[in-house]
Amino acid sequence: MNSGLRAPLENTIKEVSVDCVMFGFHADELKVLLLKWNNTEWCLPRGSIFRQELIAEAASRVLKETTGIEEVFLQQFHTFGAADRYKNNSADQNAQQLHNKFEARVDDELFHESLISIGFYALVDFEQAIPKLTGSYQWCEITALPDLSFDHNDMIELALVALRKDLRYLPIAKLLPQKFTLRDMQKLYETILNRKFDRRNFHKLLMSYDFLIKLPEKKIGTANKSPHLYQIDLEKYETALQDGISY
Amino acid sequence: MNSGLRAPLENTIKEVSVDCVMFGFHADELKVLLLKWNNTEWCLPRGSIFRQELIAEAASRVLKETTGIEEVFLQQFHTFGAADRYKNNSADQNAQQLHNKFEARVDDELFHESLISIGFYALVDFEQAIPKLTGSYQWCEITALPDLSFDHNDMIELALVALRKDLRYLPIAKLLPQKFTLRDMQKLYETILNRKFDRRNFHKLLMSYDFLIKLPEKKIGTANKSPHLYQIDLEKYETALQDGISY
C-alpha cells in the first residue's frame, strides 16, 4: 500500500481552479449568473486557487474578483476531473480549442495537460446582488441556458441536483427576504425542486417545525388578501436542519 | 474577469490525490477500513490520480491497489484543500512531519507545497469484502476510531454526514444482502442515521414506496418468529430515489 505517497510527481500534478454556479432567486424565478468570456461565449465565474489559500477562501475571492459580489452563501458540491471534462465533451469544439490553448501554455512535461475544477454554488437574491464588472453578464433562467464554455452546462445541472438535496440540510430559506409569507417559502421550495406542493399540506408541514415565527404584520399590496409575514428563528432552523427537513 | 485563466501557473499547481472512506455494514454494525501506514499509524486507503485518468477511475484503482477490493459503490463527497488540511491540524505533529516529508521532495518553486485530496466513500458488506494486502488492516467501528494520519478523522466525519444525506437519494439499500427482512433494512437506516425508528411507522413508511418485493420465503433461524424476506425492485427504487425517500 501507500503507493499514492510514492507515486512519481508527474502523475499527481494538476492545475486546480474553482467554478461558481451562482443561483439567484427572485419573484418565483431561479436563474444563474453567466459572464461573457472571449467576447463570444458565456461561462461561469471561475479562477485559480492560490498558494496557501483555503479552497473556500478561493471560491469567495474568485466570485468577488469576477463579479464584484461578496459575502454570499457558498457551498462546495462536486469536483470535476480534467479528463472527464474534455473526454465527455469531445464533440464540443470550443472546449477542445480552449483545452489546446491551455496546452500551448504548458511546455513542461511535468505539468498535467488538463484541469481539475472544484464546483461551488452560491445563493443570492438576484435583484439585490448586482454584479460590478466591466464585461457583459446575464442572469439566465436555468431552463433556458445557452451552450456554455468548458463543461459548464453539466456543472450547472449537477449544482442544481446538489441544491435540491441540500434544501433539507442547509439554511437555504435564507434566500428569502427577512420577512416573507408562507407562499413565498412554498414557491422557493417548488422552484428549486421543480414540483408542486399542496398549499395546505405544505403549510402544515412547515408549521410542524418550530423555526417559523409568525409576525403581527401582514404583507400589503398583494392581489386578494393580506397574508401574514413570517421570519426565521435561525437557531431553531439550524437544529431542524441537523436531522433534515422532510417534505 | 477571466483572471483565473490568466493567473500565473505557479498559483494553480497542486498535487491531487484521492482518499477512500470505506464503510462496511454487517450485523447492525457500521465500520471503516483502516490501513497501517509507516508501521505506526493508521490511515485511509489513498493514492494519486494519474494523467488522463477520470477522477472516479482513480478512486476505483486506488481502492483496488491499496486493499485488493474492487467493484464497490464509490461516491465522491468532498474535496479537501491543501491549506485547510494542515492549517487546522497544526497541533498534529504526525501530519506536520508528513507534510515536511512532502516538502522535502519538492524543490521546484513552482510546485505547491501541499495537497488537494478528493474524498470518496465506498460501501460494502465487511464480512464479504476481504482486503487482500500484505500490510495490516482493521475494520474499525466509527464510534471508536484511533487518531489517524493526515486529516483522515475529519474526512471520515464528513463522509458520514454525506452518507446520511445520500441515504435519501442513492441506492444505499444495496448494502443489504439480496434477500433481507424489514428489520434488516430498519437497522441499516438506524445505524447510518444514528437514531431509532418506531418499528411500525418505519415499516409503514417503507411499504408506502413500492420498491420492496415481498417474497414467499421467510427468514429461518431467528430467535422468535420467522419474518418475511424482501428484495428490491431496482428500477422502482431508482425512481423513488429521484425525489428522495422521506423518513
Side-chain angles (χ1 to χ4, degrees):
Chain A
M1 63 149 300
N2 300 327
S3 64
L5 293 168
R6 289 197 231 104
L9 265 180
E10 60 265 38
N11 287 326
T12 67
I13 304 299
K14 308 272 185 185
E15 286 194 62
V16 182
S17 62
V18 295
D19 289 62
C20 299
V21 179
M22 190 143 179
F23 289 115
F25 184 76
H26 186 82
D28 306 348
E29 279 186 301
L30 190 62
K31 298 189 176 187
V32 170
L33 182 66
L34 300 179
L35 306 181
K36 191 74 130 193
W37 138 253
N38 231 356
N39 283 326
T40 51
E41 296 170 81
W42 294 100
C43 74
L44 297 170
R46 63 195 311 278
S48 306
I49 301 179
F50 292 153
R51 270 171 182 261
Q52 299 286 8
E53 195 174 37
L54 301 184
I55 294 177
E57 282 172 3
S60 299
R61 179 187 49 74
V62 163
L63 200 62
K64 186 179 168 190
E65 284 178 5
T66 54
T67 69
I69 297 170
E70 48 192 318
E71 285 176 30
V72 298
F73 174 88
L74 270 166
Q75 174 72 14
Q76 192 198 117
F77 69 94
H78 193 77
T79 294
F80 297 84
D84 311 51
R85 302 179 73 186
Y86 299 106
K87 266 193 195 167
N88 299 340
N89 245 352
S90 55
D92 184 339
Q93 288 300 317
N94 290 331
Q96 201 54 51
Q97 277 165 23
L98 279 169
H99 186 197
N100 295 340
K101 210 176 287 178
F102 276 111
E103 285 270 15
R105 249 184 26 195
V106 176
D107 47 17
D108 185 330
E109 217 208 2
L110 276 184
F111 292 128
H112 195 279
E113 62 262 40
S114 48
L115 285 178
I116 280 193
S117 179
I118 304 172
F120 279 78
Y121 70 78
L123 294 173
V124 295
D125 175 338
F126 67 75
E127 292 272 299
Q128 302 295 320
I130 314 292
K132 302 177 196 78
L133 46 92
T134 47
S136 308
Y137 71 89
Q138 61 166 313
W139 282 104
C140 184
E141 283 188 45
I142 52 168
T143 49
L145 293 167
D147 276 341
L148 304 176
S149 300
F150 306 98
D151 49 356
H152 286 180
N153 290 84
D154 295 343
M155 239 178 225
I156 292 171
E157 201 174 303
L158 264 185
L160 194 55
V161 170
L163 177 61
R164 285 180 181 145
K165 288 185 188 176
D166 289 344
L167 189 53
R168 296 183 196 267
Y169 301 99
L170 296 179
I172 286 168
K174 283 187 185 171
L175 257 187
L176 294 167
Q178 213 190 344
K179 297 173 182 182
F180 53 86
T181 66
L182 291 182
R183 181 198 166 280
D184 294 335
M185 192 150 176
Q186 182 176 344
K187 284 290 169 189
L188 174 71
Y189 272 65
E190 288 184 344
T191 307
I192 290 176
L193 297 171
N194 192 28
R195 69 184 239 216
K196 295 283 172 202
F197 288 100
D198 172 74
R199 189 184 67 86
R200 195 182 295 259
N201 286 342
F202 188 76
H203 291 191
K204 213 166 102 182
L205 169 78
L206 281 186
M207 300 316 291
S208 74
Y209 297 97
D210 61 349
F211 61 79
L212 289 182
I213 304 165
K214 192 173 186 173
L215 301 173
E217 310 143 65
K218 292 184 170 194
K219 184 170 185 175
I220 50 173
T222 47
N224 298 310
K225 39 189 178 178
S226 301
H228 270 284
L229 286 167
Y230 289 78
Q231 66 183 35
I232 291 174
D233 180 326
L234 282 179
E235 203 170 308
K236 287 182 177 170
Y237 187 35
E238 297 285 354
T239 305
L241 291 167
Q242 277 167 24
D243 283 336
I245 291 175
S246 290
Y247 46 78
Chain B
M1 63 148 301
N2 299 328
S3 64
L5 294 169
R6 286 196 235 105
L9 265 181
E10 60 264 39
N11 288 325
T12 66
I13 305 298
K14 308 271 185 189
E15 286 193 61
V16 182
S17 62
V18 295
D19 289 64
C20 299
V21 179
M22 190 142 180
F23 289 115
F25 183 76
H26 186 81
D28 306 349
E29 280 186 300
L30 190 62
K31 299 191 173 185
V32 170
L33 181 67
L34 301 178
L35 306 182
K36 190 74 132 193
W37 137 251
N38 232 356
N39 283 324
T40 51
E41 295 171 81
W42 294 100
C43 74
L44 296 170
R46 62 196 311 278
S48 306
I49 301 180
F50 293 153
R51 273 170 179 261
Q52 299 285 10
E53 195 175 36
L54 302 184
I55 293 177
E57 282 172 2
S60 300
R61 180 187 48 74
V62 163
L63 199 63
K64 187 181 166 189
E65 284 179 4
T66 54
T67 70
I69 297 170
E70 49 192 319
E71 285 176 30
V72 297
F73 175 88
L74 270 164
Q75 175 72 12
Q76 192 198 114
F77 68 94
H78 192 79
T79 294
F80 297 83
D84 312 51
R85 303 180 73 187
Y86 299 107
K87 269 193 194 167
N88 298 340
N89 245 352
S90 56
D92 183 340
Q93 289 299 318
N94 290 332
Q96 201 54 50
Q97 277 164 20
L98 280 169
H99 186 196
N100 295 341
K101 209 174 290 178
F102 275 114
E103 285 272 11
R105 248 182 27 192
V106 176
D107 47 17
D108 184 330
E109 216 206 3
L110 277 183
F111 292 128
H112 195 279
E113 63 261 42
S114 47
L115 285 177
I116 280 192
S117 180
I118 304 172
F120 280 77
Y121 70 78
L123 293 173
V124 293
D125 175 337
F126 66 76
E127 293 271 299
Q128 302 294 321
I130 314 292
K132 301 177 198 77
L133 47 90
T134 46
S136 307
Y137 71 88
Q138 61 166 313
W139 283 103
C140 184
E141 281 187 46
I142 53 169
T143 50
L145 293 167
D147 276 342
L148 304 175
S149 300
F150 307 99
D151 51 355
H152 286 180
N153 290 83
D154 295 343
M155 236 177 229
I156 292 171
E157 200 174 305
L158 264 186
L160 194 55
V161 169
L163 176 61
R164 285 180 181 144
K165 288 185 187 175
D166 290 343
L167 189 54
R168 294 184 195 267
Y169 301 100
L170 296 180
I172 287 170
K174 283 186 185 173
L175 257 187
L176 293 167
Q178 212 190 344
K179 297 175 183 181
F180 53 87
T181 66
L182 292 182
R183 182 197 166 280
D184 294 335
M185 192 151 176
Q186 182 176 343
K187 285 291 169 186
L188 174 71
Y189 273 66
E190 287 184 344
T191 307
I192 291 175
L193 297 170
N194 193 26
R195 69 184 238 219
K196 295 283 173 203
F197 289 100
D198 173 74
R199 189 183 67 87
R200 195 181 295 257
N201 286 341
F202 188 76
H203 291 189
K204 212 166 103 181
L205 168 79
L206 281 187
M207 299 316 291
S208 74
Y209 297 98
D210 61 351
F211 61 78
L212 289 181
I213 303 165
K214 192 173 185 173
L215 300 174
E217 308 143 65
K218 292 185 169 191
K219 184 171 184 175
I220 50 173
T222 48
N224 297 310
K225 40 190 177 178
S226 302
H228 270 285
L229 286 166
Y230 289 78
Q231 67 182 37
I232 291 175
D233 181 325
L234 283 178
E235 204 171 307
K236 287 183 176 168
Y237 186 36
E238 296 285 354
T239 305
L241 290 167
Q242 277 168 22
D243 282 336
I245 292 175
S246 290
Y247 46 78

